[in-house]
Amino acid sequence: MHADPIRRMIVLGPRAHELRAYDGSTAWAVLEEMMQRSTGDGDHLVAQVSIRSLASSLGLAKDTVARAVRRLRDLGVIEAEQRRSDSGVFQTGSYRLDVPTACLTVDISTTTNHRRPHPTTHRRTTNTTNTTDTANTTDTGQLSLTFNS
């Protein structure tokens, strides 16, 4: 079993829904994965990932991911950069990410190396006295949401 790659937090902007609706759910998932695994900051985000590694981490077929990457490239959201090593062998694919900040940004102040949460770490509690729904997790640094009616 291989270790999960270092992941960065991504932040949805006020226009994220527009890009998500336009590029489709599969391409959106691929873009999120690329952004989480990117390096750099601001306008200089680069994801060094292969189609196969993206497919593996997302649980999708490599051809499905390749179509999503082509869609993102055609939209101008990513730009493929292929490099060769000193011996002339192609290196892992590299993609420059050019995502509008009004849609999606990387929070460069945080980086995580968490495994996906185990289903038993999540619990849902309902407080019937003040009609507050809460989705909590154990202290693993995962998201905690509170909804007030």
Side-chain angles (χ1 to χ4, degrees):
M1 176 177 265
H2 60 83
D4 284 342
I6 300 296
R7 297 190 178 275
R8 301 170 88 181
M9 278 176 67
I10 55 175
V11 180
L12 297 177
R15 299 185 66 188
H17 65 285
E18 294 173 22
L19 180 60
R20 184 175 52 242
Y22 191 72
D23 71 5
S25 58
T26 302
W28 182 262
V30 169
L31 180 60
E32 282 184 358
E33 186 71 14
M34 288 176 134
M35 289 192 75
Q36 284 186 319
R37 293 167 60 178
S38 69
T39 57
D41 60 359
D43 295 334
H44 300 85
L45 293 177
V46 175
Q48 290 188 325
V49 294
S50 68
I51 298 294
R52 289 181 189 267
S53 72
L54 288 168
S56 175
S57 63
L58 291 169
L60 297 171
K62 68 176 178 57
D63 292 339
T64 301
V65 172
R67 280 190 299 274
V69 166
R70 188 171 32 254
R71 172 96 173 130
L72 293 168
R73 191 182 63 227
D74 291 347
L75 292 172
V77 177
I78 65 172
E79 183 180 325
E81 298 175 352
Q82 187 66 58
R83 296 189 177 129
R84 293 181 185 247
S85 68
D86 292 338
S87 63
V89 176
F90 282 114
Q91 295 178 332
T92 300
S94 180
Y95 298 90
R96 188 179 57 78
L97 307 176
D98 188 21
V99 182
T101 56
C103 296
L104 209 55
T105 57
V106 172
D107 181 355
I108 60 171
S109 66
T110 60
T111 302
T112 61
N113 194 8
H114 294 292
R115 295 199 176 276
R116 292 185 180 150
H118 190 277
T120 60
T121 64
H122 293 281
R123 67 183 183 280
R124 181 172 178 88
T125 60
T126 303
N127 181 344
T128 55
T129 58
N130 66 6
T131 64
T132 300
D133 290 335
T134 306
N136 293 315
T137 62
T138 57
D139 188 23
T140 61
Q142 298 296 318
L143 179 65
S144 178
L145 300 174
T146 302
F147 301 97
N148 294 319
S149 327

